[in-house]
Amino acid sequence: MAALNHNNNNKTMAETDFSLKETCPKIGGGRSIPGGEMLTPSFDLVERMSFLYIRVVKARALPCNDSFIEVIIGNYRGRTKNTAIPNPNPEFHEVFAFNSDRLQGDVLEVAVKMKNEEIVGKCRFEVVEIPTRVPPDSPLAPQWYRLEDRNGNKFGGEVMLSVWTGTQADEVFPEAWHSDSVTVNGENGAIARSKVYLSPRLWYLRVNVIEAQDLVPLQANRTNPEVLVKGFVGNVVVRSRTSQTRTLSPVWNEDMMFVAVEPFEDSLILTLEEKLGPKEECLGKCEIKLSQVERRVLPGPVPALWYNLERVGDSGFAGRIHLRVSLDGGYHVLDESIQYSSDYRASAKLLWTPAIGVLEVGVISASGLMPMKSRDGRGTTDAYCVAKYGQKWVRTRTIVDTFSPKWNEQYTWEVYDPYTVITVAVFDNMHLLVPGNANGPQDSRIGKIRIRLSTLETERIYTHSYPLIVLKPDGVKKMGEIQLAVRFSCTSTIDMLQKYSEPLLPEMHYLTPLSIYQLESLRHQATHILCMKLGRAEPPLGRDVIEYMLDFGSNIWSLRRGRANFERLVSFFTSLVDSWVWFDSVCKWKKPVITILTHFIFLFVVFLPKYCVTSLLLYCFLIGFYRYHLRPRHPPHMDIKLSKADSALPDELDEEFDVFPSAKSADLVKKRYDRLRGIAGRMMMVLGDLATQGERVKNLLSWRDPRATFLFSMFCLVACGVIFLVSMKLLMTLLAFYVMRHPRLRVFDIPSVPQNFFRRLPSRADSML
């Protein structure tokens, strides 16, 4: 049954189009558009959308104290928040935006209502009479309008508002209530708006724990305690190893690494813990404010200081600890995978270089989205888009209840390195109907794409429809397509080309490198801090969104990714293997003309070596020039065949999506463990063979095999004399002609003398248990 389902999935995937498509949206900056209006150049990567804006400022002289304002056009209704304090002169300061393409009436009505929905007064506007405003014009000044009662008579009440027709280029667009979000109530409307977020600047905090002295044990008779150090920054805990000297003056000389966030309001708390069997007892603690810690941008010396330890509870003296503490701003805090990083700058602004360009992305629309949830008995999707590059995150507004949302929002980033990646993902908003619930359901993932800037031509606008692909436990699925317009503009070509000669990471990563374990731990800390900080914004970015954008957990074992990476490695060596096969065919004279031509080329290389390198370089130049018109025209996108997502078995996907540690049954875990042992066993054999070959090379002169070393030494002596007496060009010619000799002069399938000699050399495999 599983095999049948897998075959059905493969058939479905074969029918699905996962390709990248070039599109022709109606975009363009500064060009005329119907109606005589123009879209501002800052929004030239999106299609023009016309909106009817109503800014409601305040009201006065109302006959009631508990009122709100409702804006009505056709079937669309938007209302302000209720006034918190009863007031006949309430203030609202809210903006409503109605999509002009979906207007269902010719009259705009602004009504003042009481809490019991009774109309106090209203005013009307003919849509065709509403003026048009195009930025950078100044905002339209609000005016007072007299209200009419039910009978059409004006009374003393007035409302201050302004009404105009504009585009998404209006400065009020991000903060406005949109008719696309008509199912969102006023209290939860903020979570549907577009927003720009900035990641906090992160620093590495290095704590070098040297030693402790004069510790006061909890029990007087314990003079050889096992002591370790615990460090706390916020709610992150890092432990040191247990001291090797079991005395009251333990020594560690160990680095503990943390991630700290500006403006360094937290404190570093260190506690010394004594191990008492399975329990740990605190011997003392000290607190260091991060704002007082030395900051450095180069790996210079940090002074070692003594800090007093206090007992927990009575604040008595508990000893002292010797530390070197520094905030290292010379590192780049890796919150993303190094392969997909969008920024490589150091934490300290002092080390930042000027920007080399500007990246502009127009999030136009999506199409063919799958239903992600059920509402009123039917499938629906409330989609929004998130893009991240560098420290800047952007979130589009949520388009409610449509499978083809149109955002048409444009964003800009400064670029400091071309070898960076922008990540764009689409989510389904699950919080619209759960106002104020921070622990509500997670937003569903619709798909994600990555675009590496170095693959883009400068000043060219790329307009493509990217497939949104998600890998699920039941297989890979196409969830729809997203249409983007991307432009990478370069401010200085010289500076950009110079970047290709500079180190990828700041210098401190190379002068004082961090271990893989430290980098992995610090990345977890950085992700946790970003989730906390961005989760406190309004609207918040959820942990699930941030972890998906940062590829958190991508280092978990996956048989599918292992096979994909192995095939990538094989494809790299394929060219070398093909070259060897071609040379073997030359040596066997399968095509005599090519073999004879190879002889002449070799003679040219041997007797005219000074032209060899220049000819090779010229050949590379001509090949590169010839392939210019064959260059890729499209940016790269997610490839399901390269990822082996189309051929992954259900059991492999079930293992990949298993939590860590595993929550599966013991029998299933045992089965997967046995499979992993088989894969690791084959890898172990390959590593063993490579180690054997390397040890054989070392044993050529080690006298481990005295006869083999004697033969190799005599060969070296004789070869030295021959080379001294005979021309090197003649020797190389004779060697090449011997290797490429005619098949009648060779015996096939018999290893050569050097191969036989090398295979007989000893290795340390004999000493392995």
Side-chain angles (χ1 to χ4, degrees):
M1 183 63 69
L4 181 61
N5 292 337
H6 180 62
N7 292 334
N8 291 336
N9 289 339
N10 287 340
K11 184 177 180 180
T12 304
M13 283 186 288
E15 298 172 353
T16 305
D17 186 8
F18 291 93
S19 63
L20 182 72
K21 304 181 184 69
E22 189 167 5
T23 59
C24 297
K26 298 178 181 179
I27 62 175
R31 293 198 289 266
S32 298
I33 56 178
E37 306 169 28
M38 301 181 72
L39 198 62
T40 57
S42 59
F43 283 80
D44 61 341
L45 295 183
V46 293
E47 296 177 342
R48 172 188 176 270
M49 295 183 72
S50 179
F51 291 91
L52 175 61
Y53 289 100
I54 303 95
R55 182 199 294 272
V56 180
V57 182
K58 56 185 175 180
R60 67 183 179 188
L62 299 180
C64 59
N65 295 329
D66 52 349
S67 60
F68 65 91
I69 292 180
E70 188 173 56
V71 182
I72 307 167
I73 181 169
N75 293 329
Y76 287 119
R77 294 172 179 264
R79 61 171 58 189
T80 64
K81 295 180 181 179
N82 294 323
T83 55
I85 301 175
N87 186 2
N89 303 313
E91 295 188 4
F92 302 100
H93 300 286
E94 295 188 37
V95 180
F96 300 86
F98 295 89
N99 194 328
S100 298
D101 296 333
R102 298 184 180 181
L103 292 182
Q104 301 172 348
D106 298 329
V107 177
L108 170 68
E109 187 175 285
V110 180
V112 179
K113 293 185 176 182
M114 294 189 294
K115 285 186 177 181
N116 59 4
E117 299 292 335
E118 182 181 350
I119 297 178
V120 176
K122 58 185 177 181
C123 57
R124 293 167 167 267
F125 300 89
E126 295 289 338
V127 174
V128 294
E129 300 295 334
I130 295 176
T132 299
R133 172 182 175 261
V134 180
D137 291 350
S138 299
L140 201 64
Q143 302 180 31
W144 288 105
Y145 294 89
R146 295 283 297 274
L147 296 174
E148 299 176 353
D149 58 18
R150 294 181 178 180
N151 300 322
N153 300 321
K154 297 185 182 295
F155 62 96
E158 293 180 307
V159 61
M160 176 182 279
L161 51 86
S162 55
V163 183
W164 72 96
T165 300
T167 66
Q168 66 267 44
D170 276 87
E171 64 278 358
V172 298
F173 177 81
E175 298 296 332
W177 175 94
H178 287 270
S179 58
D180 295 331
S181 306
V182 290
T183 62
V184 182
N185 57 40
E187 296 179 357
N188 206 27
I191 205 169
R193 294 184 180 132
S194 56
K195 281 292 180 181
V196 176
Y197 308 84
L198 290 178
S199 299
R201 275 207 293 152
L202 305 178
W203 291 56
Y204 284 152
L205 172 65
R206 184 188 299 271
V207 182
N208 179 235
V209 184
I210 304 173
E211 60 179 334
Q213 290 183 359
D214 305 329
L215 297 183
V216 180
L218 297 176
Q219 300 176 7
N221 58 349
R222 289 185 60 86
T223 58
N224 57 346
E226 296 183 55
V227 183
L228 57 90
V229 180
K230 278 186 181 179
F232 301 83
V233 175
N235 54 3
V236 175
V237 183
V238 177
R239 296 163 58 98
S240 74
R241 66 177 185 273
T242 304
S243 173
Q244 298 178 355
T245 57
R246 300 181 60 177
T247 65
L248 295 177
S249 297
V251 177
W252 293 275
N253 197 21
E254 178 181 351
D255 280 344
M256 301 172 67
M257 299 294 296
F258 301 86
V259 176
V261 57
E262 288 189 353
F264 307 121
E265 298 173 344
D266 295 326
S267 295
L268 168 66
I269 299 176
L270 297 175
T271 63
L272 269 68
E273 307 282 339
E274 180 183 359
K275 296 189 68 174
L276 298 173
K279 299 190 302 181
E280 295 175 354
E281 296 289 343
C282 182
L283 297 177
K285 72 170 185 177
C286 71
E287 181 177 349
I288 305 172
K289 294 186 179 299
L290 296 185
S291 57
Q292 301 173 356
V293 173
E294 179 182 349
R295 305 176 193 181
R296 61 174 186 166
V297 296
L298 293 175
V302 178
L305 303 176
W306 287 96
Y307 296 88
N308 290 332
L309 298 171
E310 298 179 351
R311 282 193 178 280
V312 178
D314 58 5
S315 300
F317 179 77
R320 56 181 187 160
I321 186 170
H322 201 194
L323 305 171
R324 291 188 183 93
V325 186
S326 63
L327 285 164
D328 293 345
Y331 291 103
H332 168 70
V333 177
L334 292 168
D335 55 348
E336 303 168 286
S337 175
I338 189 67
Q339 292 90 351
Y340 316 130
S341 183
S342 61
D343 191 10
Y344 296 103
R345 291 176 296 169
S347 300
K349 277 191 173 181
L350 183 65
L351 301 179
W352 290 6
T353 56
I356 62 168
V358 174
L359 172 66
E360 299 167 277
V361 176
V363 184
I364 299 176
S365 63
S367 60
L369 298 184
M370 302 291 289
M372 304 302 296
K373 58 178 175 284
S374 178
R375 182 188 294 139
D376 298 331
R378 59 184 179 84
T380 185
T381 298
D382 305 325
Y384 68 93
C385 183
V386 176
K388 181 198 182 297
Y389 183 80
Q391 291 184 320
K392 183 177 176 180
W393 302 62
V394 300
R395 170 178 178 155
T396 66
R397 70 191 189 280
T398 299
I399 307 298
V400 175
D401 195 16
T402 178
F403 301 131
S404 300
K406 292 185 178 181
W407 293 289
N408 284 303
E409 299 181 24
Q410 183 171 337
Y411 299 95
T412 304
W413 290 267
E414 287 187 328
V415 177
Y416 294 86
D417 194 311
Y419 188 74
T420 46
V421 174
I422 180 172
T423 303
V424 182
V426 181
F427 299 89
D428 176 52
N429 198 330
M430 303 290 289
H431 295 80
L432 293 181
L433 303 179
V434 192
N437 189 354
N439 299 320
Q442 294 185 351
D443 291 346
S444 301
R445 303 169 179 178
I446 298 180
K448 176 173 62 176
I449 66 168
R450 303 188 195 97
I451 302 175
R452 187 172 296 278
L453 270 59
S454 58
T455 63
L456 305 179
E457 299 178 16
T458 55
E459 308 302 335
R460 176 186 169 185
I461 299 178
Y462 291 82
T463 55
H464 292 87
S465 182
Y466 298 81
L468 295 171
I469 304 172
V470 170
L471 187 64
K472 296 187 175 183
D474 56 346
V476 64
K477 296 185 182 298
K478 180 180 177 181
M479 308 297 291
E481 296 183 358
I482 182 172
Q483 186 177 2
L484 302 177
V486 182
R487 177 172 57 205
F488 174 35
S489 304
C490 177
T491 56
S492 174
T493 305
I494 299 299
D495 291 343
M496 184 176 66
L497 296 179
Q498 185 182 353
K499 284 292 180 181
Y500 284 85
S501 64
E502 297 178 357
L504 188 64
L505 295 169
E507 292 181 358
M508 208 158 177
H509 282 272
Y510 307 99
L511 300 178
T512 311
L514 301 173
S515 67
I516 296 178
Y517 171 78
Q518 287 176 322
L519 289 174
E520 195 64 33
S521 172
L522 292 170
R523 187 184 172 198
H524 278 73
Q525 295 184 38
T527 303
H528 176 70
I529 291 175
L530 288 179
C531 291
M532 289 180 54
K533 295 296 182 180
L534 298 181
R536 297 173 60 184
E538 185 62 35
L541 275 181
R543 174 178 289 271
D544 51 318
V545 174
I546 296 173
E547 290 182 351
Y548 185 56
M549 297 291 291
L550 298 181
D551 268 336
F552 186 77
S554 59
N555 58 342
I556 300 297
W557 162 253
S558 167
L559 184 60
R560 173 190 61 82
R561 279 197 295 263
R563 289 194 293 112
N565 289 330
F566 176 75
E567 292 211 2
R568 289 171 58 199
L569 188 64
V570 169
S571 65
F572 169 75
F573 287 107
T574 298
S575 57
L576 300 179
V577 174
D578 292 343
S579 300
W580 177 256
V581 171
W582 174 84
F583 183 71
D584 184 67
S585 66
V586 168
C587 295
K588 294 179 179 179
W589 289 70
K590 292 184 177 180
K591 295 182 179 179
V593 175
I594 294 181
T595 301
I596 295 172
L597 182 62
T598 305
H599 282 72
F600 282 107
I601 294 176
F602 184 80
L603 291 175
F604 172 78
V605 171
V606 171
F607 290 97
L608 296 173
K610 66 178 182 179
Y611 298 110
C612 177
V613 176
T614 56
S615 301
L616 180 62
L617 295 176
L618 182 61
Y619 173 76
C620 293
F621 168 76
L622 293 176
I623 290 296
F625 186 77
Y626 170 75
R627 291 183 176 178
Y628 176 75
H629 72 283
L630 302 175
R631 67 191 185 278
R633 299 290 183 175
H634 308 312
H637 66 288
M638 299 293 185
D639 191 339
I640 63 169
K641 294 187 180 297
L642 179 67
S643 307
K644 296 298 177 184
D646 58 336
S647 59
L649 298 175
D651 184 58
E652 296 175 2
L653 295 176
D654 185 61
E655 179 185 15
E656 183 173 343
F657 283 91
D658 192 10
V659 296
F660 189 84
S662 178
K664 300 297 181 180
S665 64
D667 292 339
L668 185 57
V669 173
K670 179 178 180 297
K671 174 185 174 183
R672 292 173 177 172
Y673 174 67
D674 291 338
R675 180 177 62 190
L676 184 60
R677 288 177 63 192
I679 297 172
R682 291 190 288 272
M683 294 176 59
M684 179 188 65
M685 295 299 296
V686 173
L687 292 176
D689 290 341
L690 293 176
T692 297
Q693 307 307 324
E695 290 169 352
R696 284 173 175 169
V697 174
K698 290 180 61 178
N699 287 333
L700 282 171
L701 297 172
S702 68
W703 293 93
R704 171 50 52 184
D705 184 341
R707 286 163 294 278
T709 302
F710 172 76
L711 289 174
F712 183 71
S713 301
M714 295 306 298
F715 169 77
C716 292
L717 179 62
V718 174
C720 179
V722 171
I723 293 174
F724 182 76
L725 296 175
V726 183
S727 170
M728 177 61 71
K729 295 181 180 179
L730 180 59
L731 286 177
M732 296 296 295
T733 303
L734 293 175
L735 179 62
F737 277 57
Y738 173 77
V739 172
M740 295 185 290
R741 66 191 183 277
H742 197 273
R744 293 180 180 179
L745 303 177
R746 69 172 74 234
V747 179
F748 291 108
D749 301 327
I750 302 297
S752 63
V753 173
Q755 287 178 306
N756 296 332
F757 178 78
F758 187 75
R759 288 176 181 175
R760 292 176 180 272
L761 289 172
S763 69
R764 301 184 66 184
D766 310 332
S767 304
M768 294 285 290
L769 289 175

